[in-house]
């Protein structure tokens, strides 16, 4: 009798969550797939033919691939080197370095792209400095086009590689290296024969994450590519939707899905293989640390210089642009003005954008944390059949490029068979964020639940606590840090979201990310920068909280 | 004398694997009862069925006369309504609660008053020597202290029975020995019956009133430690509890008090007659290492062997001897050290007999 009732409440939750996942994730995805194959109600490959029939379109596909690969290569080199130096040498200020090296995650890619235009663009700060130093008429570089996109993508996406490689190096059993040392291998030899092969899966895994994030990105190629007609898939989809050519955008979305799918499939293979190496030992033995000797301060300086270049300079450029009377004005104290801030903060669109983002982000974060915590519980603890599958489906948007989610939202909610037409309202953005960030919640909640050993709950039950009581007194309090981390991460990401929002926003339903992009795109870099600078503090604070929470949790 | 736990025909399957195969046992009041066996023998599953953490497939379990599980009547009392206390192998001390709140939790669930909680938790902590650590968080405690918190939490509600699942296996050797004595003392002082699961035969021998030796989901023997050691019922029990040397041989004659064997290698041994003599002439003689003496003749029961290896164990000395191609393990007092490589006479004082055809059968009866 009690067993029956117990089963029922779980079943009710399961059905509700299954419905949520179906509506939020599966329905839009099916729409994209089906509509890409439908022309006037008939099965056809014509949409795909139009992609490959016009150079503009297949060049965009090709550009997405090679630009992302090149940026990934750059990110992998930076990330791997930085991880080795921080984990395996006696470089000073390690704790600070570890933090600043992942700061690029905190800077929205759009901001980084804007910052780099203002640094290295035709009238950028570095360009002007170069001209006045050398007397040359132009700088020997251009930030617009493939080179600039690769550069900015690479230096904003390397933390993916840095985090995975540093993690693998930290978990690596030091005795594996010591065994090689006792066998007579020197430091260089050990790195080549033992360490590098052991962390190779981590390097490849981090690189694939960076690759998926590169092909997903819209802000950077939009700011650095559109002006010189250098198109990638995400910007081409954006253009196709402004025409609007929905079938074309849909077919191109499917190509993005294929690209991301291949990367994720490879990722799964590498992650599976990394299990072969038992590099994760329970004991924390200090691995061998390479002494840098005389190079010690210089290596530290180089890493700090790198992060200043990557994080501080672009933000500084944004700030300079924001307080200048016009873009490219000579730098001096007399011309400092708050005009841009006043103009943008007094505009009703920007105010609406801030208000909308500050409404959508916490709602999305709250809904997702509740739903994903329940789903993770059904999957990990209650082991309800089918919950694992739901979890897998919920994780899919993690690999889905934002443009695909955007196109899916338009198809799904423009004229749905049942339910309201969300397209043209603020709520389509909410539904889009729910889809895009579901994986963030699932990952965090699943991880924190798996850390809770079954015996902790069983001990409550043998102490006389009912299932509900156990959840309240034991499971929920122990899950809380993971849930808070997920909430902050979702809030932060949704707050400055651009890739999806740029495709589905409508007049009066702006978000702050969209409005910064619109300002930048329509020739008001000063106002765009002012708005970016205005919202950056809240993003940085959120980022610090996520870092603090994850450090706190690993300490337990 | 009442019965604390009565288990009848308990069967638990995981898929096609039968973890517990129709076992029966009954625990007396105030008894320290151990389930012992190698990993995978079903002892932990049995304990978890008693706790209600696993639902058995068949059989009946009652605690203090109350049926908590019966497949026939479809009775299955949920864990939290069974009057038990349990200590887990990894302690399962809740990291987000202080020592006091961990121990007080069962009382809190029973809605005991604040004063009552403080009094009873204080009493338990004092008994465990933890009275000064009530405000600590588990992360500030050593493994042994966490173990005590878990024990205190299981004891505080005065359950009908205490279930212990390998509670000492994560402690280091010295602490384990200490906790062994302490557990025994607590059990004597509180009179609470304990159902104890361990893979460590020494632990079981040292602490239990009675032991059930399990393997492959079945109970081989339920008896007192002395009886388990002295009169193992099956070959498995003989092998698992203590160590043993085997020599093939055949029965020459048997009288009322002795049995005479001719063992491989040609020696003739006359030993005290065991409980029974197998009918088959071909037998297997099993001798415990401490039932042999080195360098001393035992009338009519000598072997000529050579010392291959000597290991000094502190209080004892262990030898590996070779006798006609058979390896023999012998333990002696340390004051009679015999050098390696020397030829010695080995006196056999007593042994067990098995039918040699049954040498691979763990269920084979031992005399």
């Amino acid at each position: 009798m009690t067993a029956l009732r117990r089963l029922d409440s779980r079943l009710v939750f399961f059905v509700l969550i299954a419905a949520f996942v179906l509506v939020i994730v599966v329905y839009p995805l099916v729409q994209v797939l089906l509509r890409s194959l439908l022309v006037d109600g008939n099965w056809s490959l014509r949409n795909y033919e139009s992609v490959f029939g016009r150079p503009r379109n297949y060049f965009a596909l090709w550009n997405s691939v090679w630009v992302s690969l090149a940026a990934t290569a750059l990110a992998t080199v930076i990330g791997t080197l930085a991880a080795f130096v921080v984990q395996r040498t006696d470089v000073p200020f390690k704790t600070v370095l570890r933090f600043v090296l992942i700061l690029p995650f905190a800077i929205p890619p759009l901001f980084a792209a804007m910052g780099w235009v203002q640094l290295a663009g035709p009238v950028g700060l570095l360009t002007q400095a170069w001209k006045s130093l050398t007397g040359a008429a132009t700088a020997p570089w251009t930030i617009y086009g493939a080179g600039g996109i690769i550069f900015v993508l690479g230096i904003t996406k390397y933390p993916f590689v840095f985090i995975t490689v540093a993690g693998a190096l930290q978990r690596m059993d030091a005795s594996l290296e010591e065994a090689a040392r006792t066998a007579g291998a020197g430091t260089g030899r050990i790195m080549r024969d033992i360490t590098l092969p052991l962390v190779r899966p981590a390097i490849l895994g981090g690189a694939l994450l960076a690759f998926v994030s590169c092909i997903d990105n819209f802000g950077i190629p939009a700011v650095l590519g559109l002006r010189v007609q250098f198109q990638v898939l995400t910007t081409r989809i954006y253009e196709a939707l402004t025409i609007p050519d929905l079938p074309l955008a849909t077919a191109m979305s499917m190509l993005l899905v294929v690209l991301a799918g291949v990367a994720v499939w490879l990722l799964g293979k590498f992650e599976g293989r990394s299990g072969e190496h038992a590099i994760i030992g329970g004991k924390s033995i200090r691995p061998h640390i390479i002494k840098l000797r005389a190079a010690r301060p210089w290596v530290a300086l180089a890493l700090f210089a790198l992060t200043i270049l990557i994080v501080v300079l672009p933000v500084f450029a944004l700030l300079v642009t924001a307080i200048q009377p016009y873009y490219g004005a000579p730098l001096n104290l007399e011309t400092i003005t708050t005009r841009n801030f006043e103009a943008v903060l007094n505009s009703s669109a920007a105010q609406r954008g801030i208000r909308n983002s500050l409404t959508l982000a916490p709602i999305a974060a709250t809904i997702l944390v509740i739903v994903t915590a329940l789903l993770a519980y059904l999957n990990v603890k209650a082991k309800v059949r089918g919950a694992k599958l739901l979890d897998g489906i919920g994780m899919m948007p993690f690999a889905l490029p934002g443009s695909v989610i955007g196109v899916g939202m338009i198809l799904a909610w423009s004229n749905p068979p049942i339910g309201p037409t969300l397209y043209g309202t603020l709520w389509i953005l909410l539904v889009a964020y729910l889809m895009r960030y579901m994986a963030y919640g699932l990952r965090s909640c699943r991880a924190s639940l798996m850390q809770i050993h079954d015996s902790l709950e069983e001990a409550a039950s043998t102490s006389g606590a009912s299932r509900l009581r156990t959840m309240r007194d034991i499971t929920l309090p122990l899950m809380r840090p993971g849930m808070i981390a997920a909430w902050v991460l979702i809030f932060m990401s949704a707050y400055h979201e651009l890739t999806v929002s740029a495709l589905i926003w409508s007049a009066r339903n702006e978000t702050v990310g969209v409005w910064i992009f619109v300002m930048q795109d329509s020739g008001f870099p000063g106002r765009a920068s002012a708005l970016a600078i205005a919202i950056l503090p809240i993003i940085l604070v959120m980022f610090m909280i996520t870092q603090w929470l994850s450090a706190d949790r690993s300490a337990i | 004398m009442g019965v604390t736990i009565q288990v009848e025909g308990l069967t638990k399957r995981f898929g096609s694997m039968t973890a517990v195969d129709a076992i029966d046992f009954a625990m007396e009041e105030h008894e320290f009862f151990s389930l012992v066996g190698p990993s995978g023998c079903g002892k932990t599953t049995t304990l978890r069925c008693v706790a209600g953490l696993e639902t058995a497939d068949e059989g009946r379990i009652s605690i203090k006369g109350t049926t908590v599980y019966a497949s026939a009547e479809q009775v299955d009392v949920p864990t939290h309504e069974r009057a038990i206390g349990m200590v887990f192998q990894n302690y399962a001390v809740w990291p987000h609660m202080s020592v006091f709140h961990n121990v007080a939790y069962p009382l809190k669930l029973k809605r005991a008053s604040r004063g009552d909680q403080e009094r009873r938790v204080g009493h338990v902590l004092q008994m465990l020597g933890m009275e000064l650590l009530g405000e600590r968080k588990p992360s500030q405690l050593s493994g042994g202290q966490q173990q005590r918190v878990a024990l205190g939490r299981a004891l505080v509600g005065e359950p009908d029975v205490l279930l212990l699942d390998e509670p000492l296996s994560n402690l280091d050797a010295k602490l384990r020995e200490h906790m062994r004595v302490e557990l025994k003392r607590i059990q004597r002082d509180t009179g609470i019956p304990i159902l104890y699961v361990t893979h460590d035969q020494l632990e079981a021998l040292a602490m239990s009133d009675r032991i059930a030796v399990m393997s492959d989901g079945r109970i081989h023997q339920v008896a007192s430690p002395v009886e388990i050691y002295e009169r193992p019922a099956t070959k498995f029990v003989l092998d698992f509890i203590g160590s043993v040397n085997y020599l093939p041989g055949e029965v020459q004659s048997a009288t009322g008090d002795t049995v005479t064997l001719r063992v491989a290698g040609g020696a003739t041994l006359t030993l005290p007659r065991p409980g029974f003599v197998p009918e088959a002439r071909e037998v297997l003689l099993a001798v415990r290492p401490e039932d042999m003496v080195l360098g001393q003749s035992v009338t009519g029961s000598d072997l000529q062997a050579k010392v291959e290896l000597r290991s000094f164990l502190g209080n004892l000395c262990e030898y590996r001897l070779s006798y006609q191609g058979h390896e023999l393990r012998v333990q002696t007092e340390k004051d009679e050290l015999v050098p390696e490589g020397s030829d010695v006479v080995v006196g056999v004082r007593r042994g067990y007999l098995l039918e040699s055809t049954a040498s691979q059968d763990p269920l084979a009866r031992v005399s």
Side-chain angles (χ1 to χ4, degrees):
Chain A
M1 188 55 208
T2 44
L4 207 72
R5 234 188 297 141
R6 211 159 59 193
L7 208 73
D8 267 355
S9 68
R10 288 192 238 171
L11 212 67
V12 170
F13 280 123
F14 179 76
V15 169
L16 286 175
I17 291 168
F20 182 86
V21 172
L22 281 175
V23 171
I24 299 293
V25 178
V26 178
Y27 168 55
L29 264 184
V30 170
Q31 285 287 334
V32 176
L33 177 64
L34 289 184
R35 298 282 194 92
S36 75
L37 293 168
L38 281 176
V39 176
D40 304 328
N42 297 313
W43 296 109
S44 164
L45 287 174
R46 223 168 64 206
N47 295 330
Y48 290 94
E49 282 162 20
S50 66
V51 175
F52 291 103
R54 287 177 57 195
R56 240 175 119 64
N57 298 335
Y58 62 69
F59 272 152
L61 170 64
W62 166 239
N63 286 342
S64 264
V65 174
W66 82 263
V67 163
S68 296
L69 281 177
T72 302
L74 178 63
T76 306
V77 171
I78 299 175
T80 307
L81 278 177
F84 265 90
V85 170
V86 168
Q87 290 294 343
R88 281 308 161 84
T89 69
D90 60 348
V91 69
F93 311 115
K94 272 190 189 183
T95 333
V96 184
L97 273 176
R98 249 185 227 119
F99 176 72
V100 294
L101 277 167
I102 52 173
L103 262 181
F105 264 169
I107 312 293
L110 171 67
F111 295 11
M114 285 160 51
W116 277 99
V117 168
Q118 289 148 26
L119 278 174
V123 286
L125 300 173
L126 292 178
T127 314
Q128 287 178 7
W130 173 269
K131 281 196 244 176
S132 63
L133 271 178
T134 60
T138 53
W141 66 72
T142 165
I143 195 69
Y144 291 113
I149 296 173
I150 290 168
F151 173 72
V152 179
L153 274 176
I155 61 169
T156 48
K157 300 301 180 189
Y158 80 84
F160 282 110
V161 184
F162 174 75
I163 289 171
T164 49
V165 177
L169 282 172
Q170 193 159 23
R171 289 191 306 268
M172 195 162 86
D173 188 343
S175 60
L176 296 171
E177 288 182 356
E178 284 160 7
R181 191 167 302 276
T182 55
T187 301
R189 187 83 207 205
I190 291 170
M191 283 287 160
R192 205 177 70 219
D193 291 353
I194 310 292
T195 318
L196 209 56
L198 282 176
V199 295
R200 194 177 298 143
I203 297 175
L204 286 167
L208 283 166
L209 284 177
F211 177 78
V212 171
S213 185
C214 284
I215 59 169
D216 168 88
N217 193 272
F218 168 73
I220 292 170
V223 171
L224 301 178
L226 283 180
R227 171 174 293 221
V228 290
Q229 288 302 306
F230 184 84
Q231 298 267 15
V232 296
L233 270 181
T234 52
T235 54
R236 193 67 197 105
I237 290 171
Y238 177 75
E239 280 200 343
L241 283 176
T242 49
I243 295 171
D245 187 347
L246 202 51
L248 178 69
T250 309
M252 284 193 295
S253 295
M254 280 313 294
L255 294 178
L256 264 180
V257 172
V258 171
L259 272 184
V262 169
V264 170
W265 176 70
L266 285 173
L267 186 66
K269 283 190 70 163
F270 286 125
E271 275 182 348
R273 207 183 304 165
S274 68
E276 288 170 19
H277 304 297
I279 59 169
I280 301 171
K283 292 175 224 153
S284 53
I285 311 164
R286 228 162 232 295
H288 181 71
I289 298 290
I290 298 165
K291 292 202 169 55
L292 296 172
R293 299 176 208 282
R296 203 164 165 251
W298 300 108
V299 172
L301 203 65
L303 280 184
F304 278 114
L306 178 78
T307 47
I308 286 172
L309 181 77
I310 290 170
V311 178
V312 181
L313 275 186
V315 174
F316 176 71
L318 287 179
L319 187 64
V320 169
T321 309
I323 57 174
Q324 278 178 318
Y326 59 93
Y327 179 46
L331 263 185
N332 57 58
L333 285 175
E334 284 93 74
T335 57
I336 287 181
T337 168
T338 56
R339 219 168 56 197
N340 286 319
F341 286 95
E342 284 159 18
V344 74
L345 292 177
N346 285 331
S347 82
S348 56
Q351 283 173 0
R352 270 200 308 271
I354 293 175
R355 202 166 50 237
N356 287 340
S357 288
L358 277 178
T359 312
L360 292 170
I363 295 178
T366 307
I367 294 176
L368 280 178
V369 166
I370 293 170
V371 170
T372 57
L374 271 168
L375 177 49
Y377 185 85
L378 291 179
N379 177 20
V380 177
K381 292 296 175 189
K383 297 190 175 67
V384 172
R385 220 174 297 167
K388 204 183 165 89
L389 179 71
L390 276 189
D391 181 278
I393 296 172
M395 285 303 289
M396 276 181 359
F398 184 60
L400 276 182
S403 316
V404 182
I405 295 175
V407 170
M409 287 298 134
I410 297 170
L411 296 173
W413 301 109
S414 287
N415 202 2
I418 47 165
T421 293
L422 296 180
Y423 188 53
T425 73
L426 191 59
W427 306 116
I428 193 169
L429 288 158
L430 178 66
V431 178
Y433 296 165
L434 290 180
M435 179 176 182
R436 187 156 206 209
Y437 300 120
M438 188 178 294
Y440 290 18
L442 275 177
R443 245 187 353 173
S444 188
C445 290
R446 195 201 305 127
S448 59
L449 265 181
M450 291 209 294
Q451 281 175 354
I452 304 173
H453 198 279
D454 285 350
S455 66
L456 289 173
E457 292 174 296
E458 289 174 354
S461 146
T462 61
S463 295
S466 64
R467 180 172 285 270
L468 215 64
R469 192 73 204 245
T470 303
M471 237 184 135
R472 203 192 82 186
D473 291 347
I474 311 296
T475 320
L476 213 55
L478 290 174
M479 267 185 94
R480 198 173 292 142
M483 291 170 70
I484 295 173
W487 194 94
V488 176
L489 186 64
I490 294 170
F491 178 97
M492 184 178 92
S493 311
Y495 184 58
H496 64 72
E497 210 289 330
L498 176 66
T499 309
V500 182
S501 313
L503 299 183
I504 57 175
W505 72 284
S506 47
R508 305 194 65 81
N509 293 312
E510 306 86 351
T511 67
V512 72
V514 164
W515 200 247
I516 294 171
F517 175 67
V518 168
M519 288 283 107
Q520 171 77 16
D521 197 40
S522 43
F524 297 102
R527 293 184 188 185
S529 302
L531 192 49
I533 289 292
I535 71 159
L536 200 54
I538 191 166
I539 295 172
L540 286 176
V541 167
M542 287 283 162
F543 178 75
M544 306 262 229
I545 295 175
T546 61
Q547 288 310 303
W548 176 71
L549 279 175
S550 64
D552 199 41
R553 261 193 303 166
S554 61
I556 291 175
Chain B
M1 287 288 276
V3 174
T4 305
I5 294 177
Q6 175 104 37
V7 169
E8 294 161 274
L10 184 73
T11 299
K12 172 69 185 173
R13 299 182 199 93
F14 294 109
S16 61
M17 203 266 292
T18 305
V20 177
D21 194 358
I23 63 165
D24 306 280
F25 66 89
M27 238 180 104
E28 305 293 326
E29 210 172 348
H30 308 310
E31 194 172 28
F32 196 123
F33 190 95
S34 293
L35 298 171
V36 64
S39 59
C41 72
K43 55 190 190 302
T44 295
T45 306
T46 304
L47 187 82
R48 289 172 63 83
C49 286
V50 172
L53 296 170
E54 303 282 354
T55 305
D57 293 310
E58 280 159 45
R60 167 189 291 276
I61 303 168
S62 54
I63 299 175
K64 277 272 165 91
T66 310
T67 301
V68 293
Y69 173 78
S71 55
E73 291 111 83
Q74 303 206 326
V75 175
D76 185 12
V77 177
T79 301
H80 66 274
E81 289 167 23
R82 300 185 184 190
I84 54 170
M86 183 158 170
V87 177
F88 294 81
Q89 183 168 9
N90 61 359
Y91 321 142
V93 175
W94 300 306
H96 60 301
M97 298 187 194
S98 68
V99 168
F100 178 88
H101 285 112
N102 261 282
V103 176
Y105 189 68
L107 300 176
K108 193 174 142 198
L109 291 172
K110 286 182 181 163
R111 301 178 191 283
S113 71
R114 180 79 198 175
D116 196 26
Q117 286 186 29
E118 276 174 11
R119 192 178 49 77
R120 288 166 73 181
V121 172
H123 176 70
V124 166
L125 289 180
Q126 191 173 18
M127 183 169 71
L128 296 166
M130 300 267 297
E131 59 270 38
L132 298 176
L133 302 177
E135 296 312 310
R136 292 263 184 100
K137 280 287 175 74
S139 56
Q140 300 167 295
L141 299 179
S142 69
Q145 289 169 328
Q146 291 189 30
Q147 175 68 268
R148 278 162 220 248
V149 175
L151 192 58
R153 184 178 63 193
L155 279 168
V156 77
E158 290 168 12
D160 286 343
V161 63
L162 203 55
L163 309 175
L164 305 183
D165 184 9
E166 305 238 9
L168 305 186
S169 61
N170 285 350
L171 300 177
D172 62 54
K174 263 268 185 283
L175 197 56
R176 193 156 54 217
E177 228 166 274
H178 177 75
M179 283 302 288
R180 228 187 254 167
V181 176
E182 199 157 347
L183 259 181
K184 189 86 179 135
R185 187 176 54 79
I186 289 167
Q187 200 253 344
R188 206 191 49 210
D189 293 352
T190 58
I192 193 168
I194 291 181
L195 180 56
Y196 192 91
V197 161
T198 180
H199 67 273
D200 184 341
Q201 24 115 357
L202 272 179
E203 214 168 276
L205 290 174
M207 299 166 76
S208 317
D209 295 317
R210 281 193 305 152
I211 297 172
V213 182
M214 288 185 75
S215 119
D216 290 329
R218 274 180 270 183
I219 292 180
H220 282 243
Q221 189 174 11
V222 182
S224 71
V226 173
E227 200 173 331
I228 290 274
Y229 192 84
E230 298 288 336
R231 284 187 291 284
T234 65
K235 179 167 183 292
F236 174 80
V237 178
L238 176 69
D239 283 335
F240 188 74
I241 307 286
S243 49
V244 70
N245 296 294
Y246 288 105
L247 272 179
E250 49 189 60
V251 177
Q252 302 287 66
S253 63
T255 69
D257 308 324
T258 62
V259 58
T260 304
L261 305 165
R262 193 181 158 80
V263 295
T268 303
L269 307 175
T270 301
L271 302 169
R273 185 193 165 107
F276 66 92
V277 176
E279 277 175 28
R281 271 166 54 89
E282 307 269 310
V283 293
L284 212 51
L285 171 68
V287 186
R288 299 262 195 223
E290 70 274 16
D291 286 338
M292 291 193 261
V293 280
L294 213 60
Q296 258 177 44
S297 177
V298 170
T299 320
S301 291
D302 288 346
L303 301 170
Q304 293 296 326
K306 188 176 173 192
V307 177
E308 297 286 346
L309 221 64
R310 189 179 74 195
S311 333
F312 180 65
L313 301 178
N315 53 343
L316 287 174
C317 204
E318 185 173 290
Y319 295 87
R320 300 279 164 156
L321 310 177
S322 72
Y323 162 71
Q324 306 286 342
H326 296 273
E327 193 188 58
L328 296 179
R329 199 169 146 195
V330 178
Q331 279 176 357
T332 67
E333 302 290 322
K334 62 179 173 185
D335 45 61
E336 35 194 310
L337 295 179
V338 180
E340 287 180 357
S342 55
D343 291 311
V344 282
V345 62
V346 181
V348 180
R349 289 196 296 217
R350 60 190 203 113
Y352 307 95
L353 295 180
L354 290 88
E355 288 188 14
S356 64
T357 48
S359 62
Q360 298 304 315
D361 179 8
L363 285 165
R365 281 213 308 152
V366 175
S367 66

